[in-house]
Amino acid sequence: MVLAEVISDMNSNYENRKHGGYSHVFDMQEKMLSTFSKIGIENIFASEMYLPIGQKIEPGSLERLKETVKEFQVQNVIENNAKTLN
């Protein structure tokens, strides 16, 4: 995934939502975190409260994002603990 793909995904998501389709925002965030882990977990929003009221979410995408966030956090804790022990 490169920046051009991210921009394309964002444009597609906007057009899809504009025509009443599901938002793929959580799916996009999952791909971003998996591909560009350096963006930082603080830039990932894994809660419906960040969405406009009534916006339809792609089924299962929030759950997948939350699982990815958990895995990322566990991995970071292990890596940080290893660095502090050395």
Side-chain angles (χ1 to χ4, degrees):
M1 174 179 265
V2 293
L3 188 56
E5 288 176 287
V6 172
I7 293 168
S8 176
D9 285 351
M10 290 173 67
N11 287 335
S12 294
N13 191 52
Y14 172 75
E15 287 298 323
N16 192 40
R17 283 186 10 244
K18 189 168 81 171
H19 298 291
Y22 287 104
S23 174
H24 299 273
V25 69
F26 296 123
D27 184 46
M28 289 189 300
Q29 287 190 106
E30 179 190 359
K31 285 197 279 187
M32 295 266 307
L33 184 60
S34 299
T35 308
F36 305 112
S37 58
K38 300 257 188 237
I39 63 169
I41 198 72
E42 66 276 2
N43 294 310
I44 300 297
F45 303 101
S47 171
E48 290 181 49
M49 72 179 201
Y50 296 106
L51 297 177
I53 293 174
Q55 181 171 311
K56 295 188 293 187
I57 306 164
E58 183 183 38
S61 61
L62 179 56
E63 291 76 18
R64 285 192 312 272
L65 176 62
K66 286 182 178 181
E67 190 59 37
T68 303
V69 166
K70 271 190 225 172
E71 290 172 14
F72 181 86
Q73 288 171 328
V74 167
Q75 180 183 351
N76 262 0
V77 167
I78 291 170
E79 287 176 2
N80 287 338
N81 283 343
K83 288 177 186 174
T84 56
L85 293 175
N86 292 335

